[in-house]
């Protein structure tokens, strides 16, 4: 048991810190090393390890990443970013457009792919207009996390939640979409207040005008991706076909293309995230064999924190998300959830992981992507700057979520 605990805690320390201390091993590498260690040390059998990996969840995520990637290679994201950033609006008005765009796109497409595709161009467009990129990037990242909480296809953790609780697409949306969309308003309002005197850069910092992207908008390919996406949503809503097979079929349709290389689409599939989730499935399964998680849940219930209660679960998953990240948090907690009301429990988990993950940079992949891209473009966002905006944004949106959960009870 001691070795199992050591491997488990080392893996999740890396999830929290972003790397394995003392080594150049990132989160994905740590998850893979943890899974390999559990296998080599005999803490889990190869058959049990394979069985622990949820193929439907991985397949659903993989297929939807291909769908989202098709929009990227068609030039759709670049076109949206250029149109949004070039509108003749005040900085506060422009921020409202970016927040709405990020939230709505992230609800329909995988949020991490949306952020990866649009953030680099948003930085360039802000600099070209002499605007401080920081409030716009923070607003975009926060809105991506908040907006994605409303649907099954918005984020990887939502897919895990829906698969684990056997939630329908409509049922999940009914329970989580309203607070997700409503919470875009406080995201915008908090950043407007915090940055009301820091919208612009000095004249010397403004860059030259930039083109929308090296990828022109391909209307035919964008229309094809949109039709496939609508077909996916319709199949999720009105059929009983397995969601993972629907997503894989949609991805296959978009890869089968005479104009766009499948390799270009596949570049937008986050293979690192898929490997990370696979590794954590194995690590968590090995840890479960110790019996410690079940004992811990019993102690928490004795202390009044019963994870069957939506509000208690909302608080617990929010805290864990800001320690290890929202995707690992759901993987860690999901096997021990017993839901009398699956939709309410699913909403609590989705809203908690989506809203609270804005507190710290490493709470979500969207936050990490924005911070890394801003630094790469010469406009770094410090951990303190991120949390200075993220804490009030998270508190405001979490109040909306708590009110909604109380209404549903």
């Amino acid at each position: 048991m001691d070795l199992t605990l050591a491997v488990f805690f080392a893996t999740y320390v890396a999830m929290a810190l972003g790397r394995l201390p003392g080594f150049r091993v990132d989160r994905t590498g740590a998850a893979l090393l943890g899974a390999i260690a559990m296998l080599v040390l005999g803490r889990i059998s190869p058959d049990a390890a394979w069985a622990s990996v949820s193929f439907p969840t991985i397949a659903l995520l993989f297929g939807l990443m291909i769908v989202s990637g098709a929009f990227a290679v068609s030039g759709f994201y670049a076109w949206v970013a250029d149109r949004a950033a070039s509108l003749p609006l005040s900085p506060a008005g422009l921020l409202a457009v970016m927040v709405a765009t990020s939230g709505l796109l992230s609800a329909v497409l995988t949020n991490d792919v949306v952020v990866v595709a649009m953030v680099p161009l948003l930085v360039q467009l802000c600099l070209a207009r002499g605007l401080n990129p920081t409030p716009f990037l923070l607003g975009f990242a926060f809105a991506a996390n908040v907006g994605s909480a409303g649907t099954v296809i918005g984020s990887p953790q939502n897919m895990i939640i829906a698969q684990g609780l056997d939630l329908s697409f409509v049922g999940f949306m009914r329970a989580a979409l309203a607070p997700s969309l409503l919470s875009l308003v406080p995201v915008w309002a908090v950043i407007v207040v915090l940055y009301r005197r820091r919208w612009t850069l000095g004249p010397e910092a403004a860059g030259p005008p930039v083109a929308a992207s090296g990828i022109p908008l391909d209307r035919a390919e964008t229309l094809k991706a949109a039709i496939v996406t609508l077909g996916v949503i319709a199949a999720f809503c009105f059929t009983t076909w397995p969601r993972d097979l629907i997503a894989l079929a949609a991805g296959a349709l978009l890869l089968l293309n005479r104009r766009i290389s499948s390799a270009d689409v596949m570049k937008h599939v986050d293979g690192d995230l898929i490997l990370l989730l696979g590794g954590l499935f194995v690590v968590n399964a090995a840890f479960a064999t110790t019996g410690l998680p079940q004992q811990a849940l019993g102690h928490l219930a004795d202390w009044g924190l019963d994870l069957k209660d939506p509000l208690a679960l909302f608080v617990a998953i929010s805290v864990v998300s800001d320690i290890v990240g929202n995707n690992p948090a759901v993987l860690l907690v999901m096997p021990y959830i017993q839901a009398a009301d699956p939709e309410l429990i699913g909403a609590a988990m989705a809203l908690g992981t989506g809203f609270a993950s804005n507190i710290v940079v490493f709470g979500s992949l969207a936050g990490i992507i924005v911070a890394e891209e801003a630094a790469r473009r010469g406009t770094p966002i410090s951990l303190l700057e991120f949390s200075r905006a993220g804490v009030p944004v998270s508190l405001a949106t979490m109040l909306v979520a708590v009110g909604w959960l109380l209404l549903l009870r």
Side-chain angles (χ1 to χ4, degrees), residues 20-312:
L20 193 62
F23 299 92
R24 298 183 65 180
V25 178
D26 63 7
R27 288 182 173 89
T28 301
L32 288 176
L33 287 175
I36 292 169
M38 293 296 193
L39 283 164
V40 171
L41 295 171
R43 266 43 190 181
I44 189 171
S45 70
D47 289 343
W50 282 114
S52 71
V53 178
S54 173
F55 174 79
T57 301
I58 298 295
L60 177 63
L61 177 59
F62 179 73
L64 292 177
M65 281 183 172
I66 294 175
V67 173
S68 190
F71 282 99
V73 298
S74 73
F76 173 72
Y77 292 137
W79 177 81
V80 170
D82 180 60
R83 286 299 181 92
S86 61
L87 291 172
L89 297 172
S90 66
L94 182 59
L95 176 67
V97 171
M98 289 190 177
V99 165
T101 299
S102 177
L104 293 175
L105 284 180
S106 295
V108 178
L109 302 166
T110 309
N111 62 345
D112 299 330
V113 179
V114 173
V115 172
V116 167
M118 293 186 66
V119 161
L121 186 61
L122 290 178
V123 175
Q124 296 178 52
L125 292 169
C126 285
L127 292 177
R129 290 183 57 165
L131 295 172
N132 176 10
T134 299
F136 298 97
L137 293 182
L138 290 177
F140 199 84
F142 297 159
N145 284 329
V146 168
S148 67
T151 67
V152 169
I153 57 179
S155 69
Q157 70 264 24
N158 289 5
M159 298 176 203
I160 298 168
I161 293 166
Q163 292 292 116
L165 296 175
D166 194 25
L167 293 175
S168 69
F169 186 89
V170 174
F172 190 105
M173 190 167 60
R174 182 170 54 233
L177 184 60
S180 174
L181 296 180
L182 287 173
S183 293
L184 294 175
V185 175
V187 169
W188 171 81
V190 169
I191 294 179
V192 167
V193 171
L194 290 177
Y195 288 90
R196 61 189 181 279
R197 295 187 181 89
R198 292 189 289 157
W199 289 117
T200 60
L201 300 169
E204 69 284 353
V210 295
S213 168
I215 306 175
L217 178 65
D218 188 324
R219 297 182 184 277
E221 290 301 324
T222 298
L223 179 61
K224 177 182 176 182
I227 292 172
V228 170
T229 301
L230 290 175
V232 167
I233 294 173
F236 283 171
C237 292
F238 304 117
T239 76
T240 57
W241 299 338
R243 280 194 293 258
D244 51 313
L245 298 185
I246 294 171
L248 287 176
L253 283 174
L254 292 171
L255 287 176
L256 191 64
N257 198 308
R258 299 181 63 180
R259 301 173 60 187
I260 294 178
S261 167
S262 60
D264 290 336
V265 179
M266 290 297 293
K267 290 176 184 176
H268 296 276
V269 173
D270 191 345
D272 281 354
L273 175 59
I274 291 174
L275 288 173
L276 181 146
L277 295 179
L280 291 181
F281 273 123
V282 176
V283 171
N284 292 343
F287 179 58
T289 63
T290 66
L292 290 176
Q294 295 82 350
Q295 295 177 31
L297 290 175
H299 292 312
L300 288 175
D302 293 340
W303 298 336
L305 187 64
D306 187 354
L307 296 188
K308 295 178 183 178
D309 178 72
L311 289 178

